[in-house]
Amino acid sequence: MIYLDNCATTKPRKEVVDAMADALANEYGNPSSLHRLGLKTEKRIKEAREIIANYLRIESKELYFTSGGTESNNIAIQSIAKKFSRKGKHIITTKFEHPSILNVFKYLEDEGFNVSFLDVDQNGYIDLDTLAKTIKEDTILVSIIHVNNEIGSLQDIKGIKEVINNSISKPILHVDGIQSFGKVEFSLKALDVDTYSFSGHKVYGPKGIGGLYINKRLKLNPIVFGGNQESGLRSGTENVPGIIGLGEAVKILTKNAKMEAQSAFELKRYMASRIINEIDDVKINTSVDNTSSPYILSITFRGTRGEVLLHYLEEKDIYVSTSSACSSKGTTKSHVLKAINLCDKDIEGTIRFCLSYEISKEDIDYTIEQLKYAVNDIRSIMRR
């Protein structure tokens, strides 16, 4: 099997599965309990928090565990909007965010907030001058996706923060880091990000666990109330096996992330080069340089249909995606591909390849040979 849908989710590493199995069997005490079993579990959570905080080069008290990226984005955006609404009701994001951002902004728009949705260029990047002109006296929040989940464009967070710092209102900056965490190098402190969300299952960890970084200068209130776990921000009994599994995944990333990213980048560049040279009438939608994720490659095969191509490849045990897993089963066309001005025909023929540390050059060679056959076969039928 060749799994090239790692933006949707990744296969947990064996070490992660082993750590979680051990936690399920032995760390079943409630971390809020006062007895020995509870204290033992609480210690394991603290250890995982330290590992992840060290990886992100933040303080452990700035890290909050959640159920995943969607919840982290919701807590950050809704809490910031509510807390600063007396200062202003203007909030900014882009047109090609993940649904866990876009739908929160649409909800807030219905609640009376004034929302600006920024355009992106054909490569998926926002214009900093446009951002500067869009920020007003009553702007309280700018939310930007770090790495786009469909085409891989890597936003200039440093430049965005400089624009914010030079603006009249200096709004809070939230960064959706679901596809950048563990995949690209950055420093939250150097970028001076206010809040940053990430997910476990995108980095070979478990599903159902994620995290939210909140800079210690920013105090946010919860949007769900309960037993005051996670310093009161995210109530609910902790997902102990998930937290331990995520800690194990990040422990491995601490050693391997840079090497794995370099390997993925070389394979991505190799794959793009072979496809351009060996399959005609294609369009590469992802920048094949350091301005995009080393793991993501979006390609349009004109004269085909992406879902048909997907199933052709599936027959050969190759797994890809037509767009975000959050929208690929829907009937609407990708809002991300629309945002970069792809026409409907090009959107229909687009496939997303997402690499991982397990993919080899031989896997890419086999995939390309099957792609060539599938594209030719589909075009011969569609162009009759």
Side-chain angles (χ1 to χ4, degrees):
M1 179 178 77
I2 300 175
Y3 184 69
L4 291 167
D5 196 17
N6 291 282
C7 295
T9 194
T10 56
K11 175 185 172 183
R13 297 186 199 255
K14 181 180 183 304
E15 296 90 332
V16 170
V17 175
D18 290 346
M20 292 183 69
D22 180 71
L24 282 166
N26 301 306
E27 311 291 355
Y28 52 85
N30 189 318
S32 295
S33 296
L34 295 178
H35 52 63
R36 189 166 61 246
L37 279 179
L39 295 175
K40 184 182 172 192
T41 306
E42 184 185 29
K43 184 181 176 186
R44 294 295 305 275
I45 292 176
K46 183 179 179 183
E47 290 170 354
R49 197 186 308 275
E50 288 289 339
I51 290 169
I52 299 165
N54 288 337
Y55 176 75
L56 286 171
R57 288 172 280 172
I58 61 174
E59 296 181 30
S60 58
K61 65 182 180 183
E62 296 176 306
L63 173 63
Y64 301 84
F65 289 116
T66 68
S67 66
T70 293
E71 185 182 5
S72 297
N73 284 334
N74 268 269
I75 292 174
I77 294 169
Q78 292 196 52
S79 183
I80 291 167
K82 187 175 181 182
K83 184 179 180 73
F84 295 95
S85 60
R86 289 184 179 177
K87 181 182 174 186
K89 285 204 159 188
H90 180 229
I91 54 180
I92 299 172
T93 190
T94 77
K95 292 181 178 176
F96 84 153
E97 300 291 312
H98 187 272
S100 65
I101 298 287
L102 278 181
N103 288 334
V104 184
F105 271 71
K106 289 174 182 174
Y107 162 75
L108 291 172
E109 193 170 36
D110 290 340
E111 292 293 304
F113 284 82
N114 177 23
V115 181
S116 294
F117 295 98
L118 299 177
D119 289 318
V120 293
D121 66 19
Q122 62 181 2
N123 295 311
Y125 301 104
I126 68 166
D127 179 73
L128 296 183
D129 289 337
T130 301
L131 172 63
K133 292 172 184 172
T134 304
I135 297 176
K136 303 185 294 187
E137 284 187 6
D138 64 339
T139 305
I140 57 170
L141 170 65
V142 174
S143 179
I144 302 289
I145 191 168
H146 197 183
V147 168
N148 182 268
N149 53 308
E150 291 191 38
I151 64 169
S153 49
L154 176 63
Q155 295 297 332
D156 177 9
I157 301 299
K158 182 180 178 184
I160 290 168
K161 186 65 181 182
E162 287 174 358
V163 168
I164 287 174
N165 286 340
N166 291 325
S167 70
I168 187 169
S169 55
K170 296 180 175 49
I172 301 295
L173 174 61
H174 172 65
V175 175
D176 174 357
I178 313 302
Q179 295 290 347
S180 66
F181 178 69
K183 303 295 180 67
V184 297
E185 271 197 294
F186 61 91
S187 163
L188 288 173
K189 292 297 183 184
L191 294 173
D192 199 20
V193 167
D194 294 298
T195 56
Y196 176 89
S197 52
F198 62 94
S199 177
H201 73 105
K202 309 292 189 183
V203 291
Y204 321 109
K207 295 176 179 64
I209 187 69
L212 175 64
Y213 158 77
I214 303 176
N215 191 300
K216 62 184 179 183
R217 66 174 174 245
L218 181 64
K219 304 298 179 187
L220 295 182
N221 298 319
I223 60 172
V224 173
F225 298 88
N228 290 328
Q229 288 88 350
E230 292 300 295
S231 302
L233 185 74
R234 198 272 180 181
S235 289
T237 303
E238 294 89 342
N239 174 2
V240 176
I243 291 171
I244 291 174
L246 176 57
E248 186 65 30
V250 174
K251 186 164 76 175
I252 296 169
L253 280 177
T254 302
K255 300 175 186 172
N256 296 357
K258 189 173 181 179
M259 175 187 64
E260 290 176 356
Q262 181 60 36
S263 174
F265 174 70
E266 290 170 4
L267 286 175
K268 170 182 163 179
R269 190 166 54 181
Y270 172 73
M271 184 176 196
S273 174
R274 276 203 61 185
I275 288 175
I276 291 170
N277 290 322
E278 297 177 33
I279 302 178
D280 63 2
D281 210 7
V282 300
K283 180 180 185 304
I284 305 291
N285 303 312
T286 303
S287 302
V288 190
D289 55 28
N290 60 6
T291 62
S292 68
S293 166
Y295 291 89
I296 301 175
L297 184 60
S298 170
I299 303 181
T300 298
F301 298 90
R302 294 191 174 102
T304 73
R305 291 185 66 89
E307 68 269 28
V308 178
L309 193 48
L310 179 152
H311 291 303
Y312 261 73
L313 295 175
E314 184 181 14
E315 288 298 312
K316 302 299 179 183
D317 223 13
I318 300 168
Y319 297 88
V320 299
S321 178
T322 51
S323 60
S324 164
C326 302
S327 59
S328 59
K329 287 184 180 178
T331 55
T332 57
K333 290 185 171 60
S334 162
H335 68 284
V336 170
L337 300 181
K338 282 184 179 177
I340 61 171
N341 290 321
L342 257 63
C343 66
D344 286 351
K345 285 291 183 186
D346 281 358
I347 292 174
E348 288 175 1
T350 297
I351 289 288
R352 180 186 67 180
F353 303 93
C354 286
L355 306 173
S356 78
Y357 74 96
E358 290 189 305
I359 297 299
S360 66
K361 184 170 178 287
E362 289 72 26
D363 292 333
I364 298 299
D365 287 336
Y366 177 74
T367 298
I368 290 173
E369 292 308 313
Q370 298 308 319
L371 261 175
K372 288 159 66 176
Y373 168 79
V375 168
N376 286 337
D377 204 36
I378 295 169
R379 284 175 175 169
S380 69
I381 297 169
M382 291 185 64
R383 290 175 173 173
R384 282 176 186 167

